[in-house]
Structure formats: C-alpha cells, structure tokens
Amino acid sequence: MLPAAKTEEQDLFITVNSNLTSLPPETFVSQMEKSIILIEEEVNSLLFKVEKSMTKLTSTNVELSNLSTASIDSCFETLDRAIVLFKQLIQRCDNLQDKFVNIEILAMKIQHFRSICEELAKLKVENAAKK
C-alpha cells in the first residue's frame, strides 16, 4: 500500500508542531492556548454558519409546505366546483330525458287520437253511405 499524500494542512501542522516543541514550556502553553482560542473561534463561526443555513432551510421548508398546502387546497376547491357543475349537468340531462319521455308519450297519444279520428271518419262515411 502506498502512503497517503501529505496535504498542506498536514505540512502546516508538522511545521507548527515542531516550532512549538522547541519553545520553552510557558511559551508553548501560551501558544497552545492561543491556538485553541483560534480553533474555538473558527468552530463557533462554522457553527453559526451552520445554524444560519439550518434556519434558512427550515424557513424554506415551511414556505414550501405552505405553498403545497395552498396548492392542494386550491385543487380541492376546484375539484369541489367541478363536482357541483357535473351534478348540475347530470340534473339537466335527467330533465331533458324526462322531457323526451313526455314528448314520446305525447306522440303516442297523438297517434292514438289520429287512429280514433280515422276510425270516426270511416264510420261517418259508412253511415252516410247507408242513408
């Protein structure tokens, strides 16, 4: 297996580490404390950025949720209106069907009335011929 390539960070760590170990203990501790404070500040800065990003993500998720809820509500409202219109259309069709049935019944009554009139006309002609 080949050893992993050294990065700039590793080189910097080795340089800083070797420089610090050559210092007297008081200076070494002081430098380490400063390094720790810098690292803490960097970590806190990164945490702040992460929290800010999370807040933005949460806000965006809430907005998306509200938009999808509004969109779904709008779809249901449109669907409800469509159902009402469809039921009205069905009612109109039923009414038209009833009218056609009444027209057919009326046509049958007219046909029956014509038959009666023709029969009466025949009887009248027969009675006139007998006289």
Side-chain angles (χ1 to χ4, degrees):
M1 228 188 230
L2 294 173
K6 291 184 182 177
T7 64
E8 283 184 36
E9 292 173 357
Q10 289 171 332
D11 289 339
L12 180 62
F13 178 76
I14 291 168
T15 304
V16 169
N17 217 8
S18 62
N19 288 342
L20 287 177
T21 54
S22 62
L23 296 174
E26 301 83 30
T27 309
F28 175 78
V29 170
S30 174
Q31 288 296 322
M32 289 301 290
E33 287 174 345
K34 288 178 186 176
S35 293
I36 290 172
I37 289 171
L38 290 174
I39 292 171
E40 271 186 72
E41 288 173 358
E42 183 71 23
V43 168
N44 286 336
S45 172
L46 289 172
L47 283 173
F48 177 74
K49 289 177 183 176
V50 166
E51 287 175 357
K52 193 173 179 181
S53 294
M54 292 299 286
T55 301
K56 284 182 183 179
L57 281 173
T58 301
S59 175
T60 302
N61 283 342
V62 167
E63 288 175 18
L64 284 173
S65 176
N66 290 342
L67 280 174
S68 77
T69 300
S71 178
I72 289 170
D73 289 345
S74 175
C75 287
F76 279 125
E77 287 172 9
T78 303
L79 182 62
D80 287 342
R81 285 192 304 251
I83 289 171
V84 167
L85 291 173
F86 189 69
K87 286 180 179 179
Q88 289 174 350
L89 183 61
I90 290 172
Q91 184 61 44
R92 288 179 187 163
C93 288
D94 287 344
N95 290 342
L96 281 174
Q97 186 177 8
D98 290 344
K99 288 179 182 180
F100 281 120
V101 168
N102 288 335
I103 289 171
E104 288 176 5
I105 291 171
L106 184 59
M108 288 175 20
K109 287 181 180 179
I110 290 171
Q111 182 61 35
H112 183 67
F113 180 73
R114 282 186 183 155
S115 298
I116 292 173
C117 288
E118 289 173 1
E119 195 62 37
L120 285 175
K122 284 181 191 176
L123 289 175
K124 188 175 181 182
V125 169
E126 287 177 7
N127 280 341
K130 287 184 184 177
K131 288 187 184 185

